[in-house]
């Protein structure tokens, strides 16, 4: 996975945990619903780790331990119609440890301050109602965080 090609990567979203086990989620000001911090890679990113580190800082003002970052899963993205602008690509779900929480500032992508909270993993599906798919992703993330490799 470390050699993952950025050209095929469309999204990187993180299950990002504090040392107490709580999980960071964000709610963009102008949008409904909670989500994991993350987004698409930018040209200045050298890899998926740089993408999630940058996105976590921009969206949630959290600092990540780069050495703790692991890929928990890869989701294949396919166009939903012939008119879809996005082609075939991949989305990563990653896990990582938060080392610092900073005062929130404006997200440079839209100039707004996202709402940021830290929740117990057991509450994940209450905030992000993804059903069995979400439950599977969360369980995989929790497994990855326990695995020292």
């Amino acid at each position: 996975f470390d050699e993952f090609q950025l050209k095929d990567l469309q999204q990187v979203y993180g299950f990002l945990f504090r040392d107490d086990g709580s999980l960071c989620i964000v709610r963009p000001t102008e949008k409904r619903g909670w989500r994991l911090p993350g987004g698409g890679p930018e040209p200045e990113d050298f890899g998926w780790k740089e993408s999630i580190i940058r996105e976590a800082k921009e969206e949630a003002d959290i600092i990540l331990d780069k050495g703790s970052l692991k890929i928990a899963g890869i989701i294949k993205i396919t166009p939903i119609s012939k008119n879809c602008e996005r082609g075939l690509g991949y989305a990563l779900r990653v896990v990582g440890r938060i080392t610092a929480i900073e005062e929130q500032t404006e997200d440079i992508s839209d100039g707004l301050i996202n709402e940021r909270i830290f929740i117990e993993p057991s509450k994940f599906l209450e905030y992000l109602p993804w059903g069995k798919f979400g439950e599977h992703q969360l369980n995989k993330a929790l497994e990855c965080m326990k695995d020292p490799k």
Side-chain angles (χ1 to χ4, degrees):
F1 293 131
D2 288 332
E3 301 302 319
F4 202 87
Q5 297 296 312
L6 271 184
K7 68 179 179 60
D8 298 325
L9 184 61
Q10 293 184 5
Q11 302 172 353
V12 180
Y13 285 89
F15 286 89
L16 308 174
F17 296 92
R18 294 193 305 189
D19 286 341
D20 68 2
S22 60
L23 173 66
C24 180
I25 58 174
V26 295
R27 180 165 53 188
T29 306
E30 296 292 313
K31 299 177 184 172
R32 285 198 250 154
W34 293 95
R35 62 183 186 82
L36 298 169
E42 298 290 341
E44 68 269 14
D45 297 338
F46 295 111
W48 64 267
K49 288 183 179 183
E50 286 75 18
S51 294
I52 193 61
I53 288 169
R54 178 186 46 75
E55 289 287 353
K57 174 69 173 121
E58 288 175 6
E59 293 182 359
D61 289 292
I62 55 177
I63 307 301
L64 303 178
D65 172 9
K66 187 175 182 177
S68 74
L69 295 171
K70 302 175 196 172
I71 295 175
I74 299 175
I75 301 166
K76 186 176 183 179
I77 300 172
T78 57
I80 56 175
S81 73
K82 291 181 181 179
N83 298 327
C84 185
E85 292 180 22
R86 280 197 309 206
L88 177 67
Y90 297 91
L92 296 184
R93 292 296 185 264
V94 304
V95 298
R97 189 174 67 81
I98 298 167
T99 59
I101 302 166
E102 299 181 339
E103 183 177 339
Q104 287 190 266
T105 58
E106 294 178 353
D107 185 333
I108 63 169
S109 69
D110 59 17
L112 301 171
I113 297 176
N114 294 324
E115 190 172 352
R116 168 191 73 193
I117 60 173
F118 298 91
I119 61 168
E120 293 302 315
S122 62
K123 304 279 187 196
F124 178 76
L125 292 175
E126 293 175 28
Y127 287 91
L128 290 93
W130 295 353
K132 294 285 184 193
F133 186 62
E135 184 178 9
H136 174 76
Q137 289 184 58
L138 175 64
N139 289 336
K140 186 68 174 173
L142 292 169
E143 283 176 33
C144 286
M145 283 304 290
K146 289 178 185 174
D147 185 2
K149 297 178 196 173

